[in-house]
Coordinates of all heavy atoms in Angstrom, one line a residue:
M1132 N 187.4 59.3 209.6 CA 186.9 58.0 209.7 C 186.9 57.6 211.2 O 187.8 57.9 212.0 CB 187.8 57.0 209.0 CG 187.4 55.6 209.1 SD 188.4 54.6 208.0 CE 189.0 53.5 209.2
F1133 N 185.8 57.0 211.7 CA 185.7 56.6 213.1 C 185.6 55.1 213.1 O 185.0 54.5 212.4 CB 184.4 57.2 213.7 CG 184.4 58.7 213.8 CD1 183.7 59.5 212.9 CD2 185.0 59.3 214.8 CE1 183.7 60.8 213.0 CE2 185.1 60.6 215.0 CZ 184.4 61.4 214.0
R1134 N 186.4 54.6 214.1 CA 186.4 53.2 214.3 C 185.2 52.9 215.2 O 184.7 53.7 216.0 CB 187.7 52.7 215.1 CG 188.9 52.8 214.3 CD 190.1 52.2 215.0 NE 190.2 52.7 216.4 CZ 191.0 53.7 216.8 NH1 191.7 54.3 215.9 NH2 191.0 54.1 218.0
K1135 N 184.8 51.6 215.2 CA 183.7 51.2 216.1 C 184.2 51.4 217.5 O 185.3 51.1 217.9 CB 183.4 49.7 215.9 CG 182.3 49.2 216.7 CD 182.0 47.7 216.4 CE 181.0 47.2 217.3 NZ 180.7 45.8 217.1
G1136 N 183.3 52.0 218.4 CA 183.7 52.2 219.8 C 184.3 53.6 220.1 O 184.6 53.9 221.2
T1137 N 184.6 54.4 219.0 CA 185.2 55.7 219.3 C 184.1 56.8 219.4 O 183.0 56.5 219.1 CB 186.2 56.1 218.2 OG1 185.5 56.2 216.9 CG2 187.3 55.1 218.1
I1138 N 184.5 57.9 219.9 CA 183.6 59.0 220.0 C 183.5 59.8 218.7 O 184.4 60.0 218.0 CB 184.2 60.0 221.1 CG1 184.5 59.2 222.4 CG2 183.3 61.2 221.4 CD1 183.3 58.5 223.0
Q1139 N 182.2 60.2 218.4 CA 182.0 60.8 217.1 C 181.7 62.3 217.3 O 181.3 63.0 216.3 CB 180.9 60.1 216.4 CG 181.2 58.7 216.0 CD 180.2 58.0 215.2 OE1 179.3 58.7 214.7 NE2 180.3 56.7 215.1
D1140 N 181.9 62.9 218.5 CA 181.7 64.3 218.7 C 183.0 65.0 218.2 O 184.1 64.7 218.7 CB 181.5 64.6 220.2 CG 181.2 66.0 220.5 OD1 181.6 66.9 219.8 OD2 180.6 66.2 221.6
P1141 N 182.9 66.0 217.3 CA 184.1 66.7 216.8 C 184.8 67.5 217.9 O 186.0 67.9 217.7 CB 183.5 67.6 215.7 CG 182.1 67.8 216.0 CD 181.7 66.5 216.7
D1142 N 184.2 67.8 219.0 CA 184.9 68.6 220.0 C 185.6 67.7 221.0 O 186.2 68.2 221.9 CB 183.8 69.5 220.8 CG 183.3 70.6 219.9 OD1 184.0 71.1 219.0 OD2 182.1 70.9 220.0
I1143 N 185.5 66.4 220.9 CA 186.2 65.4 221.8 C 187.2 64.7 220.9 O 186.9 64.2 219.9 CB 185.2 64.4 222.3 CG1 184.0 65.1 223.1 CG2 185.9 63.4 223.2 CD1 184.5 65.8 224.3
V1144 N 188.4 64.7 221.4 CA 189.5 64.0 220.7 C 190.3 63.0 221.5 O 190.4 63.2 222.8 CB 190.5 65.0 220.1 CG1 189.8 65.9 219.0 CG2 191.1 65.9 221.1
A1145 N 190.8 62.0 220.9 CA 191.6 61.0 221.6 C 193.0 61.6 221.7 O 193.6 62.1 220.6 CB 191.6 59.7 220.9
V1146 N 193.6 61.6 222.8 CA 195.0 62.2 223.0 C 196.0 61.1 223.3 O 197.2 61.4 223.2 CB 195.0 63.3 224.0 CG1 194.3 64.5 223.6 CG2 194.6 62.8 225.4
H1147 N 195.6 59.9 223.6 CA 196.6 58.9 224.0 C 195.9 57.5 224.0 O 194.7 57.4 224.2 CB 197.1 59.2 225.4 CG 198.4 58.4 225.7 ND1 199.6 58.6 225.1 CD2 198.6 57.4 226.6 CE1 200.5 57.8 225.6 NE2 199.9 57.1 226.5
S1148 N 196.7 56.5 223.7 CA 196.1 55.1 223.8 C 197.0 54.3 224.7 O 198.2 54.5 224.8 CB 196.2 54.5 222.4 OG 195.4 55.2 221.5
V1149 N 196.3 53.4 225.5 CA 197.0 52.6 226.4 C 196.4 51.2 226.3 O 195.4 50.9 225.6 CB 196.8 53.1 227.9 CG1 197.4 54.4 228.1 CG2 195.3 53.1 228.3
S1150 N 197.1 50.2 226.9 CA 196.6 48.8 226.8 C 196.1 48.3 228.1 O 195.4 47.2 228.1 CB 197.8 47.9 226.3 OG 198.9 48.0 227.1
E1151 N 196.4 48.9 229.2 CA 195.9 48.4 230.5 C 195.0 49.4 231.2 O 195.2 50.6 231.1 CB 197.2 48.1 231.4 CG 198.1 47.1 230.8 CD 197.5 45.7 230.8 OE1 196.6 45.4 231.6 OE2 198.0 44.9 230.0
V1152 N 194.1 48.9 232.0 CA 193.2 49.8 232.7 C 193.9 50.7 233.7 O 193.6 51.9 233.8 CB 192.1 49.0 233.4 CG1 191.2 49.8 234.3 CG2 191.3 48.2 232.4
Y1153 N 194.9 50.1 234.4 CA 195.6 51.0 235.4 C 196.3 52.2 234.7 O 196.4 53.2 235.3 CB 196.6 50.1 236.2 CG 197.9 49.8 235.5 CD1 199.0 50.7 235.6 CD2 198.0 48.6 234.7 CE1 200.2 50.4 234.9 CE2 199.2 48.3 234.1 CZ 200.3 49.2 234.2 OH 201.5 48.9 233.5
E1154 N 196.8 52.0 233.5 CA 197.4 53.1 232.8 C 196.4 54.2 232.5 O 196.6 55.4 232.6 CB 198.0 52.7 231.5 CG 199.2 51.7 231.6 CD 199.7 51.3 230.2 OE1 198.9 50.4 229.6 OE2 200.7 51.7 229.8
A1155 N 195.2 53.7 232.0 CA 194.1 54.7 231.7 C 193.7 55.4 233.0 O 193.5 56.6 232.9 CB 193.0 53.9 231.1
D1156 N 193.6 54.7 234.1 CA 193.2 55.3 235.4 C 194.3 56.4 235.8 O 193.9 57.5 236.2 CB 193.0 54.3 236.5 CG 191.7 53.5 236.3 OD1 190.8 54.0 235.7 OD2 191.7 52.4 236.9
L1157 N 195.5 56.0 235.7 CA 196.6 57.0 236.1 C 196.6 58.2 235.2 O 196.7 59.3 235.7 CB 198.0 56.3 236.0 CG 198.3 55.3 237.1 CD1 199.6 54.5 236.7 CD2 198.4 55.9 238.4
I1158 N 196.5 58.0 233.9 CA 196.5 59.2 233.0 C 195.3 60.1 233.1 O 195.4 61.3 233.2 CB 196.8 58.7 231.6 CG1 198.2 58.1 231.5 CG2 196.6 59.9 230.6 CD1 198.5 57.4 230.2
T1159 N 194.1 59.5 233.2 CA 192.9 60.3 233.3 C 192.9 61.0 234.7 O 192.5 62.1 234.8 CB 191.6 59.5 233.1 OG1 191.6 58.4 234.0 CG2 191.5 59.0 231.7
G1160 N 193.4 60.3 235.7 CA 193.5 61.0 237.0 C 194.5 62.2 237.0 O 194.2 63.2 237.5
L1161 N 195.6 62.0 236.3 CA 196.5 63.1 236.1 C 195.9 64.3 235.4 O 196.0 65.4 235.9 CB 197.8 62.7 235.4 CG 198.7 63.7 234.9 CD1 199.5 64.4 236.0 CD2 199.6 63.2 233.8
L1162 N 195.2 64.0 234.4 CA 194.5 65.1 233.6 C 193.5 65.8 234.4 O 193.4 67.0 234.4 CB 194.0 64.5 232.3 CG 195.0 64.0 231.3 CD1 194.3 63.3 230.1 CD2 195.9 65.1 230.8
I1163 N 192.6 65.0 235.1 CA 191.5 65.6 235.8 C 192.1 66.4 237.0 O 191.6 67.5 237.2 CB 190.6 64.4 236.4 CG1 189.8 63.9 235.2 CG2 189.6 65.0 237.4 CD1 189.1 62.6 235.5
N1164 N 193.1 65.9 237.7 CA 193.7 66.7 238.7 C 194.4 68.0 238.2 O 194.7 68.9 239.0 CB 194.7 65.8 239.5 CG 194.0 64.8 240.4 OD1 192.9 65.0 240.8 ND2 194.7 63.7 240.6
S1165 N 194.7 68.0 236.9 CA 195.3 69.2 236.3 C 194.3 70.1 235.7 O 194.6 71.1 235.0 CB 196.3 68.8 235.2 OG 197.4 68.0 235.8
G1166 N 193.0 69.8 236.0 CA 191.9 70.7 235.5 C 191.4 70.4 234.1 O 190.7 71.2 233.5
I1167 N 191.8 69.2 233.6 CA 191.4 68.8 232.2 C 190.4 67.7 232.3 O 190.8 66.6 232.7 CB 192.6 68.4 231.3 CG1 193.5 69.6 231.2 CG2 192.1 67.9 230.0 CD1 194.8 69.2 230.5
P1168 N 189.1 67.9 232.0 CA 188.1 66.8 232.0 C 188.6 65.7 231.0 O 188.9 66.0 229.9 CB 186.8 67.4 231.5 CG 187.0 68.9 231.8 CD 188.5 69.2 231.6
A1169 N 188.6 64.5 231.5 CA 189.1 63.4 230.6 C 188.4 62.1 231.0 O 187.9 61.9 232.1 CB 190.6 63.2 230.8
Y1170 N 188.3 61.2 230.1 CA 187.8 59.8 230.3 C 188.4 58.9 229.3 O 189.0 59.3 228.3 CB 186.3 59.8 230.3 CG 185.7 60.2 229.0 CD1 185.4 59.2 228.0 CD2 185.5 61.5 228.6 CE1 184.8 59.5 226.8 CE2 184.9 61.8 227.4 CZ 184.6 60.9 226.5 OH 184.1 61.2 225.3
Y1171 N 188.3 57.6 229.6 CA 188.8 56.6 228.6 C 187.6 55.7 228.2 O 186.6 55.5 228.9 CB 190.0 55.8 229.1 CG 189.7 55.0 230.4 CD1 189.3 53.7 230.3 CD2 190.0 55.6 231.6 CE1 189.1 53.0 231.5 CE2 189.8 54.9 232.8 CZ 189.3 53.6 232.7 OH 189.1 52.8 233.8
R1172 N 187.9 55.0 227.1 CA 186.9 54.1 226.6 C 187.6 53.0 225.8 O 188.6 53.3 225.1 CB 186.0 54.9 225.7 CG 184.8 54.1 225.1 CD 183.9 55.0 224.4 NE 183.0 54.2 223.6 CZ 181.9 54.6 223.0 NH1 181.6 55.9 223.2 NH2 181.1 53.9 222.3
D1173 N 187.1 51.8 225.9 CA 187.6 50.7 225.1 C 187.5 51.0 223.6 O 186.5 51.6 223.2 CB 186.9 49.4 225.4 CG 187.1 48.8 226.8 OD1 188.2 49.1 227.3 OD2 186.2 48.2 227.3
R1174 N 188.5 50.5 222.9 CA 188.4 50.7 221.4 C 187.4 49.9 220.8 O 186.8 50.3 219.8 CB 189.8 50.4 220.8 CG 190.8 51.4 221.0 CD 192.0 51.2 220.2 NE 193.1 52.0 220.6 CZ 194.3 51.8 220.4 NH1 194.7 50.6 219.9 NH2 195.2 52.6 220.8
E1175 N 187.1 48.7 221.3 CA 186.1 47.8 220.7 C 185.2 47.4 221.8 O 185.5 47.4 223.0 CB 186.8 46.6 220.2 CG 187.8 46.8 219.0 CD 187.1 47.2 217.7 OE1 185.9 46.8 217.6 OE2 187.7 47.8 216.9
D1176 N 184.0 47.2 221.5 CA 182.9 46.8 222.5 C 183.3 45.6 223.3 O 183.0 45.5 224.5 CB 181.6 46.6 221.8 CG 181.0 47.9 221.2 OD1 181.4 49.0 221.7 OD2 180.3 47.9 220.2
S1177 N 183.9 44.6 222.7 CA 184.1 43.4 223.4 C 185.2 43.5 224.5 O 185.4 42.6 225.3 CB 184.5 42.2 222.5 OG 185.7 42.5 221.8
G1178 N 186.0 44.5 224.5 CA 187.1 44.7 225.4 C 186.5 44.7 226.9 O 187.2 44.2 227.8
G1179 N 185.4 45.3 227.1 CA 184.8 45.3 228.4 C 184.5 44.0 229.0 O 184.7 43.7 230.1
Y1180 N 183.9 43.1 228.1 CA 183.6 41.8 228.5 C 184.8 41.0 228.9 O 184.8 40.2 229.9 CB 182.9 41.0 227.4 CG 181.5 41.7 227.0 CD1 181.3 42.2 225.8 CD2 180.5 41.7 228.0 CE1 180.1 42.8 225.5 CE2 179.3 42.3 227.7 CZ 179.1 42.9 226.4 OH 177.9 43.5 226.1
L1181 N 185.9 41.1 228.1 CA 187.1 40.4 228.4 C 187.7 40.9 229.7 O 188.3 40.1 230.5 CB 188.1 40.6 227.3 CG 187.7 39.9 226.0 CD1 188.7 40.3 224.9 CD2 187.7 38.4 226.2
R1182 N 187.6 42.2 230.0 CA 188.1 42.7 231.3 C 187.4 42.2 232.5 O 187.9 41.9 233.5 CB 188.1 44.2 231.3 CG 188.9 44.8 232.4 CD 189.0 46.3 232.3 NE 189.0 46.9 231.0 CZ 188.1 47.8 230.6 NH1 187.1 48.2 231.4 NH2 188.1 48.3 229.4
I1183 N 186.1 42.0 232.3 CA 185.2 41.4 233.4 C 185.7 40.0 233.8 O 185.8 39.7 235.0 CB 183.7 41.4 233.0 CG1 183.2 42.9 233.0 CG2 182.9 40.6 234.0 CD1 181.8 43.0 232.4
I1184 N 186.0 39.2 232.9 CA 186.5 37.9 233.2 C 188.0 37.8 233.5 O 188.5 36.7 233.7 CB 186.1 36.9 232.1 CG1 186.8 37.2 230.8 CG2 184.6 36.8 231.9 CD1 186.6 36.1 229.7
G1185 N 188.6 38.9 233.6 CA 190.0 39.0 234.0 C 191.1 38.8 233.0 O 192.2 38.7 233.3
L1186 N 190.7 38.9 231.7 CA 191.7 38.7 230.7 C 192.3 40.0 230.2 O 193.2 40.0 229.4 CB 191.1 38.0 229.5 CG 190.6 36.6 229.8 CD1 189.9 36.0 228.6 CD2 191.7 35.7 230.3
G1187 N 191.8 41.2 230.6 CA 192.2 42.4 230.0 C 191.6 42.7 228.7 O 190.8 41.9 228.2
T1188 N 191.9 43.7 228.0 CA 191.4 44.0 226.7 C 192.5 44.0 225.7 O 193.5 44.6 225.8 CB 190.6 45.3 226.6 OG1 190.2 45.6 225.3 CG2 191.4 46.5 227.1
P1189 N 192.4 43.2 224.6 CA 193.4 43.1 223.6 C 193.4 44.3 222.7 O 194.3 44.4 221.9 CB 193.0 41.8 222.9 CG 191.6 41.7 223.0 CD 191.3 42.2 224.4
F1190 N 192.3 45.1 222.7 CA 192.2 46.2 221.8 C 192.7 47.5 222.3 O 192.9 48.4 221.5 CB 190.7 46.3 221.4 CG 190.1 45.1 221.0 CD1 189.1 44.4 221.7 CD2 190.4 44.5 219.8 CE1 188.5 43.2 221.3 CE2 189.8 43.3 219.3 CZ 188.9 42.7 220.1
G1191 N 192.9 47.6 223.6 CA 193.4 48.9 224.2 C 192.3 49.8 224.4 O 191.1 49.6 224.2
M1192 N 192.7 51.0 225.0 CA 191.7 52.0 225.3 C 192.3 53.4 224.9 O 193.5 53.6 224.8 CB 191.5 52.1 226.9 CG 190.8 50.9 227.4 SD 191.2 50.6 229.1 CE 192.7 49.6 228.8
D1193 N 191.4 54.3 224.5 CA 191.7 55.6 224.1 C 191.3 56.6 225.2 O 190.3 56.4 225.8 CB 191.0 56.0 222.8 CG 191.6 55.2 221.6 OD1 192.8 54.9 221.6 OD2 190.8 54.9 220.7
I1194 N 192.1 57.6 225.4 CA 191.8 58.6 226.4 C 191.4 59.8 225.7 O 192.0 60.3 224.7 CB 193.1 58.9 227.3 CG1 193.4 57.6 228.1 CG2 192.8 60.1 228.2 CD1 194.7 57.7 228.8
Y1195 N 190.2 60.4 226.1 CA 189.6 61.5 225.4 C 189.6 62.8 226.3 O 189.4 62.7 227.5 CB 188.2 61.1 225.0 CG 188.1 60.0 224.1 CD1 187.9 58.7 224.5 CD2 188.1 60.3 222.7 CE1 187.8 57.7 223.5 CE2 188.0 59.3 221.8 CZ 187.8 58.0 222.2 OH 187.8 57.0 221.3
V1196 N 189.7 63.9 225.6 CA 189.6 65.2 226.2 C 188.9 66.2 225.2 O 188.7 65.8 224.1 CB 191.0 65.8 226.6 CG1 191.7 65.0 227.6 CG2 191.8 66.1 225.4
N1197 N 188.5 67.3 225.7 CA 188.0 68.4 224.8 C 189.1 68.8 223.9 O 190.3 68.9 224.3 CB 187.5 69.6 225.6 CG 186.2 69.2 226.4 OD1 185.4 68.5 226.0 ND2 186.2 69.8 227.6
R1198 N 188.7 69.1 222.7 CA 189.7 69.6 221.6 C 190.5 70.8 222.1 O 191.7 70.8 221.9 CB 189.0 70.0 220.4 CG 189.9 70.3 219.2 CD 189.2 70.6 217.9 NE 188.4 69.5 217.5 CZ 189.0 68.4 216.8 NH1 190.2 68.4 216.6 NH2 188.2 67.4 216.4
K1199 N 189.9 71.7 222.9 CA 190.6 72.9 223.3 C 191.7 72.5 224.4 O 192.7 73.3 224.6 CB 189.7 73.9 223.9 CG 188.9 73.5 225.1 CD 188.0 74.6 225.6 CE 187.3 74.2 226.9 NZ 188.1 73.9 228.0
D1200 N 191.6 71.4 225.0 CA 192.6 70.9 226.0 C 193.6 69.9 225.5 O 194.4 69.5 226.3 CB 191.8 70.3 227.2 CG 190.9 71.3 227.9 OD1 191.3 72.5 228.0 OD2 189.8 70.9 228.4
A1201 N 193.5 69.6 224.2 CA 194.3 68.5 223.7 C 195.8 68.7 223.8 O 196.5 67.8 224.2 CB 193.9 68.2 222.3
E1202 N 196.3 69.9 223.4 CA 197.7 70.1 223.4 C 198.3 70.1 224.9 O 199.3 69.5 225.1 CB 198.0 71.5 222.8 CG 197.9 71.4 221.3 CD 198.7 70.3 220.6 OE1 199.9 70.1 220.9 OE2 198.1 69.6 219.7
K1203 N 197.5 70.7 225.8 CA 198.0 70.7 227.2 C 198.0 69.3 227.7 O 198.9 68.9 228.4 CB 197.1 71.6 228.0 CG 197.5 71.7 229.5 CD 196.6 72.6 230.2 CE 197.0 72.6 231.7 NZ 196.0 73.5 232.5
A1204 N 196.9 68.5 227.4 CA 196.9 67.1 227.8 C 198.0 66.3 227.3 O 198.6 65.5 228.1 CB 195.5 66.5 227.4
K1205 N 198.3 66.5 226.0 CA 199.4 65.7 225.4 C 200.8 66.0 226.1 O 201.6 65.2 226.4 CB 199.5 66.0 223.9 CG 198.4 65.3 223.2 CD 198.5 65.7 221.7 CE 197.4 65.1 220.9 NZ 197.4 65.5 219.5
S1206 N 201.0 67.3 226.4 CA 202.2 67.7 227.1 C 202.3 67.1 228.5 O 203.4 66.7 228.9 CB 202.4 69.2 227.1 OG 201.5 69.8 227.9
L1207 N 201.2 67.1 229.2 CA 201.2 66.5 230.5 C 201.5 65.0 230.5 O 202.2 64.5 231.3 CB 199.8 66.7 231.2 CG 199.6 68.1 231.8 CD1 198.2 68.3 232.2 CD2 200.5 68.4 232.9
I1208 N 200.9 64.3 229.5 CA 201.1 62.9 229.4 C 202.5 62.6 229.0 O 203.1 61.6 229.6 CB 200.1 62.3 228.3 CG1 198.7 62.4 228.8 CG2 200.5 60.9 228.0 CD1 197.7 62.1 227.7
D1209 N 203.1 63.4 228.2 CA 204.6 63.2 227.8 C 205.4 63.4 229.0 O 206.4 62.8 229.2 CB 205.0 64.1 226.7 CG 204.3 63.6 225.3 OD1 203.9 62.4 225.2 OD2 204.2 64.5 224.4

């Protein structure tokens, strides 16, 4: 089952969830610097609008990587 705003590619998986943009930036930076392509995305479409006006996103963000890199990414995050 996919929630609205999630990735539907079976080769891309969410490995971590955060509530703040700075957390998402730090974690994706760590993963990218470790050779793991990664990005984050709001869980819900309206999260981006709330962030623009300075309220943050109440829905959180998911961090995504390729399925083959998921275990390594999870261990780096932990």
